Amino acid sequence: MPRPDEITVPTETGPGRLLVSPAASASAVLWLGHGAGGGADSRDLAALAAELPRHGVTVVRHEQPWVVAGRRIAPRPAALDAGWLAAEPAVAQLVGSVPLVVGGRSAGARVACRTAAAVGAAAVLCLAFPLHPPGRPERSRVEELLTPQVPVLVVQGTRDPFGSADEVRAAADGARMLHVSPVEGADHGLKLARSAALGQDEALALVAAEALRFLRTAAARK
């Protein structure tokens, strides 16, 4: 994958960073946030940044200020939202007149859902949405998942302890604009079990293909 362009974003809690993997002629921009346990180099975010620009989608991976500063513990949700929204003007310059789709993995997906309306997103892509803490299904975050008033795709492992694909589908309870795409045998990091029918590279290719299909549909609606 070519080295992405880097844009530093000032925020009230220090600089954030955008890693931009540009398409030669973009039909959409996908702005992605990382999880609470790592940065923009997670396997799924990196796979999207490597694959989608070849298909006309500029991918922007957002590193929150706490990651740029080298801290290991993510701040509270309000601080994550503030760090994300501080980057919106820089992202808007990249978007121009094409549709913006927001998303991310885990905590980044939560941020994208909460702020989709504020940034004018055409759709939301959630990778491994943390429906509930492991072993605590009563602490559901489904309200966040249902907050966007635009199409939402959730790519979820079937053995994710934060909520399997089946759990997410059941919690959404037939929400008209939400679709769940299961990754068979994958955990919260979209890592495949050794016994899984798919290999790791095949699973990441599936994630990229599902994301591209969704993005093309979102772009057509805009």
Side-chain angles (χ1 to χ4, degrees):
M1 180 174 66
R3 184 177 179 85
D5 301 328
E6 294 189 13
I7 299 173
T8 298
V9 178
T11 81
E12 292 184 356
T13 56
R17 183 163 51 216
L18 301 176
L19 305 178
V20 184
S21 299
S25 180
S27 59
V29 170
L30 176 60
W31 178 15
L32 295 168
H34 55 74
D41 59 350
S42 64
R43 59 172 58 86
D44 45 3
L45 301 186
L48 294 179
E51 180 65 18
L52 297 189
R54 295 200 286 263
H55 301 279
V57 178
T58 290
V59 177
V60 182
R61 289 174 290 161
H62 182 188
E63 287 193 325
Q64 287 271 1
W66 67 275
V67 170
V68 175
R71 294 192 291 272
R72 295 186 177 184
I73 300 176
R76 297 180 67 83
L80 295 177
D81 290 358
W84 177 264
L85 291 172
E88 191 276 335
V91 174
Q93 290 188 344
L94 298 170
V95 170
S97 60
V98 303
L100 170 66
V101 176
V102 297
R105 77 149 6 262
S106 195
R110 295 179 64 192
V111 173
C113 286
R114 292 192 298 260
T115 61
V119 302
V124 181
L125 172 64
C126 297
L127 305 170
F129 185 86
L131 183 65
H132 57 72
R136 301 293 301 276
E138 74 279 3
R139 294 179 57 186
S140 176
R141 301 180 180 118
V142 70
E143 287 188 8
E144 286 183 352
L145 187 58
L146 298 179
T147 295
Q149 299 299 302
V150 292
V152 177
L153 173 65
V154 184
V155 179
Q156 199 83 359
T158 58
R159 61 184 189 97
D160 189 333
F162 289 81
S164 68
D166 284 345
E167 285 183 271
V168 172
R169 188 179 289 112
D173 193 27
R176 185 174 59 85
M177 292 194 293
L178 188 145
H179 176 72
V180 180
S181 179
V183 182
E184 191 65 39
D187 64 10
H188 191 61
L190 294 180
K191 181 179 179 180
L192 273 291
R194 290 184 180 180
S195 59
L198 292 177
Q200 190 65 61
D201 289 345
E202 292 175 300
L204 292 175
L206 173 65
V207 171
E210 284 292 293
L212 181 60
R213 177 195 59 77
F214 179 66
L215 284 156
R216 285 174 169 165
T217 301
R221 291 179 72 256
K222 188 68 174 177

